[in-house]
Amino acid sequence: EPEVTQTPSHQVTQMGQEVILRCVPISNHLYFYWYRQILGQKVEFLVSFYNNEISEKSEIFDDQFSVERPDGSNFTLKIRSTKLEDSAMYFCASSVPGTAHNEQFFGPGTRLTVL
Amino acid sequence: AQTVTQSQPEMSVQEAETVTLSCTYDTSESDYYLFWYKQPPSRQMILVIRQEAYKQQNATENRFSVNFQKAAKSFSLKISDSQLGDAAMYFCAYRPAIYNQGGKLIFGQGTELSVKP
């Protein structure tokens, strides 16, 4: 069964460093998403991406964040200068158009730890 | 703005018994979707069940069923014959029905379910 994959599973970085989180969505999916979950808190929407551009973003998704689909398979989230409060689980999701319910399939997540 | 509220931070159930997790939401939309996601210790988000707001019939998936009360904006999850593998964090989520477009999921705070053998 097709699935969303994410790498790395765990990333440790120093405050101020740039990180890139990678996702490979399901191959026929066209909508891509990033969500964040700070430990012990709810899952929060960051950004959605379609047709090579951002379709929606939250207040969390400020200028420190960017997303890119560099090729036909990867979808990346970049954090330019990490802060301690960026420590969280980051989930990638993808969905296929053509249905109203548009189920989002989640990857296993990347745990980001900022020291 | 749409919001989702889960008022039970923790719930506990005896194995083989039934448990109900509560969820309320607020929206001015008439058409939308509601979901329950399961997050086991691995932290993977797994879709458990989905309900379309335009359907009056409550969704069921094997041992999982929902009680959808549109007027009350309530969406509870019932787990029957609870199993040890059901132990997880459960998130209620909302998404407006936007045909052929992506749409963000809005999650509740989660309910941690423990299952006692």
Side-chain angles (χ1 to χ4, degrees), chain B residues 4-45:
Chain B
V4 178
T5 302
Q6 294 177 250
S7 58
Q8 306 156 315
E10 298 174 351
M11 290 284 284
S12 180
V13 63
Q14 204 71 33
E15 193 176 7
E17 296 294 308
T18 296
V19 65
T20 299
L21 308 184
S22 301
C23 172
T24 59
Y25 59 94
D26 189 25
T27 183
S28 58
E29 302 286 338
S30 59
D31 201 11
Y32 48 86
Y33 292 89
L34 297 165
F35 307 85
W36 279 98
Y37 280 88
K38 172 184 177 181
Q39 187 182 45
S42 67
R43 312 266 324 249
Q44 174 91 49
M45 297 290 287

Side-chain angles (χ1 to χ4, degrees), chain A residues 30-34 45 47-56 67-69 75:
Chain A
L30 298 178
Y31 293 96
F32 315 114
Y33 314 82
W34 284 103
F45 168 78
V47 65
S48 59
F49 190 86
Y50 171 70
N51 200 25
N52 284 320
E53 60 182 24
I54 291 173
S55 51
E56 187 177 5
V67 289
E68 191 178 32
R69 188 154 164 82
F75 179 51

Side-chain angles (χ1 to χ4, degrees), chain B residues 29-90:
Chain B
E29 302 286 338
S30 59
D31 201 11
Y32 48 86
Y33 292 89
L34 297 165
F35 307 85
W36 279 98
Y37 280 88
K38 172 184 177 181
Q39 187 182 45
S42 67
R43 312 266 324 249
Q44 174 91 49
M45 297 290 287
I46 302 165
L47 179 65
V48 174
I49 198 165
R50 176 184 68 239
Q51 174 77 44
E52 293 89 339
Y54 65 85
K55 288 187 178 179
Q56 292 187 334
Q57 187 173 6
N58 289 322
T60 62
E61 285 287 342
N62 301 314
R63 296 183 296 107
F64 298 88
S65 61
V66 299
N67 184 4
F68 172 51
Q69 301 289 327
K70 191 172 184 179
K73 296 181 181 174
S74 169
F75 181 61
S76 61
L77 174 69
K78 185 171 83 171
I79 306 174
S80 303
D81 185 25
S82 297
Q83 300 175 358
L84 295 177
D86 294 334
M89 180 72 88
Y90 286 82

Side-chain angles (χ1 to χ4, degrees), chain A residues 33-48 57-61 65 77 85-93 104 106, chain B residues 39 43 45 91-93 104-109:
Chain A
Y33 314 82
W34 284 103
Y35 292 85
R36 180 181 82 175
Q37 184 184 29
I38 295 172
L39 185 64
Q41 298 186 22
K42 65 180 177 181
V43 178
E44 300 172 291
F45 168 78
L46 290 178
V47 65
S48 59
K57 61 182 180 179
S58 71
E59 293 176 352
I60 303 168
F61 195 88
F65 293 88
L77 174 68
E85 54 265 36
D86 292 329
S87 293
M89 196 78 165
Y90 288 82
F91 292 101
C92 174
Q104 295 179 23
F106 282 79
Chain B
Q39 187 182 45
R43 312 266 324 249
M45 297 290 287
F91 289 98
C92 178
K104 66 182 181 186
L105 287 165
I106 299 169
F107 288 88
Q109 303 92 323

